[in-house]
Amino acid sequence: MGTDKKPKMLLFDIGGVCVVSPFQSILDYELSLGIPPGWINYSISKTAPNGFWHKLERGEIKLDDAFYAGFNKDLHDPVRWEAFYKIQQSKNPGLPQEVPPVPNIDGHWLFNDMMTASNAPDPWMQPALRNLKASGKFILAALSNTVIFPPGHALHREDFFADPIRGLFDVFVSSAHVGLRKPDPKIYEYALNEVNKYAKSHAAEERGRSLGWQDGVKPDEVVFLDDIGENLKAAKKVGFRTIKVPLGRTYEAVDELEAITGLKLAGDHPRIPIKPKFGGANAKL
């Protein structure tokens, strides 16, 4: 990370960091159907900034049938599929030369499987978060691209911020509530501003005085953890220090947190990587 300076604030992504990654669900789905891994993420990323996924995470549209129809359409664009397939051919000359038809994906099923899977706490990061919270030595904040689930959905919460994981944080920035999403630079600036409001409003307390909160939090006093490279690159541009969280190996990020904080954070969950599931019987075409 290039500096030994102890941070004032630890800023966490949620999916793939604090909870099980939705990308694990995507990878399992692709492998179960024989789709070249990466197509779904490629399709989502190439529809930015105004694909249905991105609009949902900025809170501009609701999670309803219109979203599912639009998301499904985004996943079945033949021009995007041909571009993706040619990239895969360049990496794997053994693939058939003729571009196959766009994979038939059930976007509705996939989306809800992703969201359900990523509702479970990460077994390595969860103990680390609790230990960080107990230490009281850092402002704990979250910066997450989120979805607001409507009443009637299995994942709906009347009070979005009452979730047990969200309750671990002093500050929680939800993309769907603020109308911005990573990697937009404005959301990092927004998060830093919210943390500074928190720090200054608690600066006179014993904890705030001992940790220098009266001076606020500067960008280089932030360590940001995320599992997506473009989100980390954007954070570096605003001056944050960063930790990349590898898919299925969150314990490696916990190791880095221990080195940065000087605290024992890890729990006792076995350090065995989560591997993709092949041939999932529940995947829907």
Side-chain angles (χ1 to χ4, degrees):
M1 290 184 48
T3 179
D4 294 327
K5 183 178 181 180
K6 185 166 283 192
K8 286 184 180 178
M9 192 248 286
L10 302 174
L11 182 62
F12 293 80
D13 176 34
I14 297 297
V17 177
C18 301
V19 299
V20 174
S21 176
F23 295 125
Q24 192 71 51
S25 176
I26 291 175
L27 179 58
D28 292 345
Y29 185 91
E30 289 173 329
L31 292 173
S32 73
L33 299 181
I35 300 170
W39 159 239
I40 292 170
N41 285 335
Y42 178 90
S43 181
I44 292 172
S45 68
K46 291 301 180 181
T47 62
N50 291 313
F52 280 80
W53 180 283
H54 309 89
K55 290 179 180 178
L56 183 70
E57 288 190 334
R58 289 195 300 265
E60 296 172 3
I61 59 175
K62 295 179 180 179
L63 179 60
D64 55 15
D65 289 342
F67 162 76
Y68 289 122
F71 178 51
N72 219 48
K73 185 178 179 182
D74 283 347
L75 293 174
H76 291 85
D77 182 271
V79 174
R80 235 179 350 260
W81 166 249
E82 182 175 355
F84 170 79
Y85 191 79
K86 287 181 177 178
I87 292 170
Q88 302 314 301
Q89 283 179 323
S90 69
K91 298 176 182 177
N92 180 7
L95 287 175
Q97 286 302 303
E98 185 177 348
V99 179
V102 180
N104 187 17
I105 294 170
D106 185 337
H108 188 290
W109 186 92
L110 173 64
F111 180 85
N112 284 291
D113 185 67
M114 291 167 56
M115 296 299 110
T116 300
S118 63
N119 205 39
D122 181 88
W124 296 292
M125 192 60 73
Q126 194 67 8
L129 279 170
R130 290 200 191 98
N131 289 330
L132 284 168
K133 184 78 170 176
S135 78
K137 294 180 180 295
F138 305 92
I139 298 173
L140 298 183
L143 175 56
S144 181
N145 288 346
T146 55
V147 171
I148 298 173
F149 296 99
H153 193 284
L155 298 178
H156 171 72
R157 280 187 176 273
E158 198 64 39
D159 182 352
F160 179 90
F161 297 99
D163 178 272
I165 291 175
R166 296 182 188 118
L168 291 169
F169 297 100
D170 301 306
V171 175
F172 194 104
V173 177
S174 160
S175 68
H177 289 84
V178 304
L180 300 164
R181 71 183 294 279
K182 296 174 293 183
D184 186 337
K186 292 178 182 176
I187 199 168
Y188 300 93
E189 295 164 6
Y190 181 95
L192 185 60
N193 186 51
E194 290 299 298
V195 166
N196 270 305
K197 287 180 186 176
Y198 175 87
K200 290 176 181 178
S201 67
H202 293 79
E205 299 171 7
E206 182 180 351
R207 181 181 173 218
R209 291 196 306 272
S210 67
L211 296 174
W213 291 358
Q214 71 276 4
D215 300 323
V217 179
K218 300 178 180 63
D220 66 346
E221 294 172 323
V222 177
V223 172
F224 174 55
L225 296 89
D226 203 297
D227 59 329
I228 298 178
E230 66 176 355
N231 293 345
L232 294 166
K233 288 178 184 176
K236 285 181 180 178
K237 286 182 179 178
V238 298
F240 294 177
R241 297 149 64 188
T242 62
I243 295 176
K244 175 71 183 291
V245 182
L247 180 64
R249 306 194 312 278
T250 313
Y251 52 82
E252 294 180 10
V254 174
D255 290 345
E256 289 195 58
L257 276 175
E258 288 189 336
I260 291 165
T261 63
L263 300 174
K264 175 71 172 71
L265 301 175
D268 55 7
H269 192 76
R271 293 166 63 92
I272 301 172
I274 298 173
K275 295 184 178 180
K277 299 174 185 175
F278 291 84
N282 293 324
K284 303 294 182 184
L285 283 166

